[in-house]
Coordinates of all heavy atoms in Angstrom, one line a residue:
Chain Q
N92 N 38.2 74.5 12.2 CA 38.3 75.8 11.4 C 36.9 76.4 11.1 O 35.9 75.8 11.7 CB 39.1 75.5 10.1 CG 38.5 74.3 9.3 OD1 37.2 74.0 9.4 ND2 39.3 73.7 8.6
A93 N 36.8 77.4 10.4 CA 35.3 78.1 10.3 C 34.6 77.0 9.5 O 33.4 77.0 9.7 CB 35.5 79.4 9.4
T94 N 35.2 76.3 8.5 CA 34.5 75.4 7.7 C 33.8 74.3 8.5 O 32.7 74.0 8.3 CB 35.5 74.6 6.7 OG1 36.1 75.8 5.9 CG2 34.8 73.7 5.7
H122 N 31.8 82.1 0.1 CA 33.0 81.2 0.1 C 32.4 79.7 0.0 O 31.4 79.4 0.5 CB 33.8 81.3 1.4 CG 35.1 80.7 1.4 ND1 35.2 79.3 1.7 CD2 36.4 81.0 1.3 CE1 36.6 79.0 1.7 NE2 37.2 80.1 1.5
S124 N 33.0 77.3 1.5 CA 32.7 76.8 2.8 C 31.3 77.2 3.4 O 30.8 76.6 4.4 CB 33.8 77.2 3.9 OG 35.0 76.6 3.6
T170 N 28.0 85.9 4.4 CA 29.2 86.3 4.9 C 29.2 87.8 5.4 O 28.7 88.6 4.8 CB 30.4 86.1 3.8 OG1 31.7 86.3 4.4 CG2 30.3 87.2 2.8
N174 N 35.4 87.7 0.9 CA 36.8 87.5 0.7 C 37.3 87.7 -0.7 O 38.4 87.6 -0.9 CB 37.2 86.1 1.1 CG 36.6 85.0 0.2 OD1 35.5 85.1 -0.2 ND2 37.5 84.0 -0.3
D199 N 28.9 84.1 8.3 CA 30.2 83.6 8.1 C 31.2 84.7 8.5 O 31.4 85.7 7.7 CB 30.4 83.1 6.6 CG 31.9 82.7 6.3 OD1 32.8 82.9 7.1 OD2 32.0 82.3 5.1
A201 N 34.4 84.6 8.9 CA 35.9 84.2 8.7 C 36.7 85.5 8.3 O 37.8 85.6 8.7 CB 36.0 83.1 7.6
Q202 N 36.1 86.3 7.5 CA 36.7 87.6 7.0 C 36.4 88.7 8.0 O 37.2 89.7 8.2 CB 36.4 87.9 5.6 CG 37.0 87.0 4.6 CD 38.5 86.8 4.6 OE1 39.2 87.8 5.0 NE2 39.0 85.7 4.1
S222 N 37.5 81.6 12.0 CA 38.9 80.8 12.1 C 39.9 81.7 12.7 O 40.1 82.9 12.3 CB 39.3 80.5 10.7 OG 38.8 79.3 10.2
H224 N 43.1 81.3 12.5 CA 44.3 81.6 11.8 C 44.3 82.9 10.9 O 45.3 83.3 10.4 CB 44.6 80.3 10.9 CG 43.7 80.1 9.7 ND1 43.9 80.7 8.5 CD2 42.5 79.4 9.6 CE1 42.9 80.4 7.8 NE2 42.1 79.6 8.3
K225 N 43.1 83.4 10.7 CA 43.0 84.6 9.9 C 43.1 85.8 10.9 O 43.0 86.9 10.4 CB 41.7 84.6 9.2 CG 41.7 83.7 8.0 CD 40.4 83.8 7.3 CE 40.0 82.6 6.5 NZ 40.8 82.5 5.2
Chain L
G275 N 38.2 73.0 4.2 CA 38.7 74.2 4.9 C 40.2 74.2 5.2 O 41.0 73.3 4.7
T276 N 40.7 75.3 5.7 CA 42.2 75.4 5.9 C 42.6 74.4 6.9 O 42.2 74.3 8.0 CB 42.5 76.8 6.4 OG1 41.9 77.8 5.5 CG2 43.9 77.0 6.7
Ligands
LIG2 C1 34.6 84.2 3.7 C2 35.4 83.0 4.2 N1 34.6 81.9 4.6 C3 35.1 80.9 5.0 C4 36.4 80.6 5.1 C5 37.0 79.3 5.4 O1 37.8 79.4 6.5 P1 38.7 78.0 6.9 O2 39.4 77.7 5.8 O3 39.6 78.5 7.9 O4 37.7 77.0 7.4 C6 37.3 81.6 4.4 C7 38.7 81.4 4.4 O5 39.3 80.7 3.6 C8 36.6 82.8 4.0 O6 37.3 83.8 3.4

Side-chain angles (χ1 to χ4, degrees):
Chain Q
N92 49 29
T94 304
H122 188 280
S124 292
T170 190
N174 67 317
D199 174 356
Q202 294 297 334
S222 266
H224 71 87
K225 292 187 200 279
Chain L
T276 302

